[in-house]
Amino acid sequence: MSLDVQEIKSAIRIHDYISQLEKLTKLTLKNSDIMLGAPKTKLVVDLPTHNKPCYEYVEQLYQEIGDRDLLMQALRTGWHYISSNGTTIPVSKEKYFQQLNSSQAFHVAKQRGYEIPEKFLTTKQFCYGQYEAYSAMHEIMHGKALGIWSNKANFSNFMYNYAKFYKAIKLIAPQFIVPSSSYQSSIPYILDQLWVASHNSNQVRLLGLEVAGEQHFLNGGHSKTLGNEKYLEKLGFEMYHVASWWCRVDPYRVICEFLKESGIFPEAQQYLIGAELDTIDKYVCGICHRPMVRLGWDWIQQCQIGDRTVYAHKHCVAHKVADKLSTRGRFDVQSQRC
Ligand SMILES: [Zn+2]
């Protein structure tokens, strides 16, 4: 069967890569947790009050790479705009890709007064896991992936929970700059994603999502901020660390795990098909028996084989349906749900 199908080709390559990484690190990554670190308690930040609303800082926050000072100014002067105008994700996937690929956050941090060593400005530290996690977040926030294959009864329940979650999320900014200590000379952290969620009427939660990259991992450290959360906590940031190798296999599940763990959408995983595949080895197609990954929201689908429900590549399910069509002349959509 066709090896040139992108979803199958990517899956074979990524599963191979993780096997090699396991040999290199002598760690069992395939059955590791997705969430490598999460805060023990929720941190709630009171919204600063300010009488004269102003759009200036909010606009800058939407257009440029954000940092903590800018965010605080924007919250202080423009919460009304952030809360109501609907620009939840100001940065497109394409723009994010460029940001990652050009170490842009460090250049911006330098312009804003941080001392950044030259090697951070010139070395590209591109991590695919970061890009995949951002891309999956985008799709989920645009109504893809979750609840798609739910039956009617579940669907209204899903819509209620999804709408509640969606309404609470006010901003998701990638490559967000936060100081790593109170010393001006310390190199700042660049959070992969910053989520700003409203909490009650005059409070917010600031959730940092960080992909613990293979690079950091192979260099002996785990991630940029893992183990250093104390200072960020003082600043009001909750930090969630997710495994980058899981982001290569199923970034949608990783985002759902973050939504569940943070409590901002606890039911998220129930609406993602295949969420019960809890180790990377289980990501195998029930039809062609080759590895699977979910880099597109519909790459893994559910399919009925006899009396068994299996997960399979989008491609394999489509072919199975086509075969059925030609042999039986019947398209059984209801039992396929695909
Ligand atoms: Zn398959």
Side-chain angles (χ1 to χ4, degrees):
M1 214 151 53
S2 26
L3 266 167
D4 56 340
V5 178
Q6 195 206 348
E7 66 199 82
I8 302 179
K9 253 188 354 193
S10 303
I12 293 172
R13 184 171 44 77
I14 290 165
H15 279 245
D16 273 356
Y17 171 75
I18 297 171
S19 298
Q20 281 174 26
L21 205 60
E22 280 193 323
K23 273 187 212 147
L24 222 66
T25 58
K26 297 192 175 59
L27 291 165
T28 48
L29 304 176
K30 288 183 179 176
N31 54 12
S32 83
D33 288 338
I34 292 176
M35 190 61 66
L36 302 179
K40 287 183 189 74
T41 48
K42 284 182 189 175
L43 295 173
V44 179
V45 178
D46 289 329
L47 278 167
T49 46
H50 190 264
N51 296 332
K52 229 170 93 195
C54 137
Y55 191 63
E56 189 191 335
Y57 295 112
V58 178
E59 190 178 27
Q60 202 186 341
L61 189 65
Y62 286 163
Q63 288 176 0
E64 297 172 20
I65 282 181
D67 65 44
R68 183 183 176 261
D69 289 346
L70 181 59
L71 175 71
M72 289 305 160
Q73 291 280 34
L75 290 178
R76 194 167 62 83
T77 59
W79 172 246
H80 166 72
Y81 301 106
I82 296 175
S83 176
S84 62
N85 85 350
T87 310
T88 313
I89 313 171
V91 178
S92 69
K93 286 193 265 184
E94 293 73 21
K95 199 170 160 195
Y96 176 65
F97 188 87
Q98 285 164 7
Q99 282 182 1
L100 269 185
N101 215 13
S102 59
S103 309
Q104 205 186 335
F106 284 119
H107 287 271
V108 171
K110 194 178 177 189
Q111 284 163 17
R112 297 191 188 157
Y114 287 99
E115 282 180 32
I116 308 291
E118 198 55 32
K119 67 171 187 195
F120 282 79
L121 301 170
T122 48
T123 329
K124 281 181 191 155
Q125 303 212 334
F126 192 88
C127 165
Y128 283 100
Q130 288 173 356
Y131 177 75
E132 298 302 350
Y134 192 73
S135 175
M137 175 281 292
H138 238 270
E139 299 296 294
I140 288 172
M141 295 304 288
H142 285 93
K144 305 264 178 69
L146 300 185
I148 302 292
W149 285 278
S150 293
N151 61 34
K152 250 191 185 160
N154 272 343
F155 193 72
S156 51
N157 188 274
F158 162 72
M159 282 308 284
Y160 173 79
N161 286 325
Y162 183 81
K164 200 167 72 169
F165 147 73
Y166 193 89
K167 223 176 111 197
I169 304 304
K170 300 302 180 189
L171 177 73
I172 304 172
Q175 298 277 285
F176 189 84
I177 304 164
V178 283
S180 58
S181 81
S182 52
Y183 303 108
Q184 189 65 32
S185 59
S186 65
I187 302 160
Y189 296 131
I190 312 293
L191 307 184
D192 292 321
Q193 294 179 24
L194 172 80
W195 290 55
V196 178
S198 68
H199 187 82
N200 299 329
S201 61
N202 55 351
Q203 292 174 315
V204 286
R205 286 174 68 198
L206 308 174
L207 307 128
L209 176 67
E210 191 177 298
V211 176
E214 289 111 63
Q215 290 101 330
H216 311 291
F217 193 72
L218 291 172
N219 290 341
H222 278 85
S223 82
K224 287 169 287 186
T225 60
L226 193 60
N228 277 332
E229 299 93 337
K230 282 241 159 63
Y231 184 71
L232 290 176
E233 269 172 30
K234 264 199 246 166
L235 299 180
F237 294 91
E238 293 173 36
M239 288 304 302
Y240 296 84
H241 299 85
V242 293
S244 66
W245 49 99
W246 265 106
C247 293
R248 304 287 303 271
V249 174
D250 193 355
Y252 291 85
R253 198 171 160 216
V254 172
I255 296 293
C256 286
E257 185 97 0
F258 161 67
L259 299 178
K260 184 180 122 196
E261 188 74 31
S262 61
I264 50 179
F265 188 7
E267 313 83 1
Q269 273 189 11
Q270 294 168 24
Y271 304 118
L272 180 74
I273 68 153
E276 56 269 50
L277 303 171
D278 55 0
T279 71
I280 290 174
D281 277 331
K282 290 186 188 164
Y283 281 72
V284 173
C285 175
I287 297 175
C288 75
H289 307 291
R290 283 195 291 243
M292 295 193 293
V293 291
R294 174 160 36 201
L295 303 185
W297 64 272
D298 60 351
W299 280 22
I300 293 179
Q301 300 198 357
Q302 205 167 295
C303 187
Q304 202 71 30
I305 296 185
D307 55 359
R308 277 186 322 131
T309 304
V310 297
Y311 298 111
H313 294 117
K314 175 171 80 171
H315 170 86
C316 296
V317 172
H319 273 251
K320 192 167 174 290
V321 174
D323 285 352
K324 245 188 169 178
L325 259 177
S326 58
T327 53
R328 296 187 199 169
R330 190 167 69 87
F331 191 170
D332 191 354
V333 184
Q334 213 45 43
S335 71
Q336 295 288 343
R337 308 281 317 161
C338 53

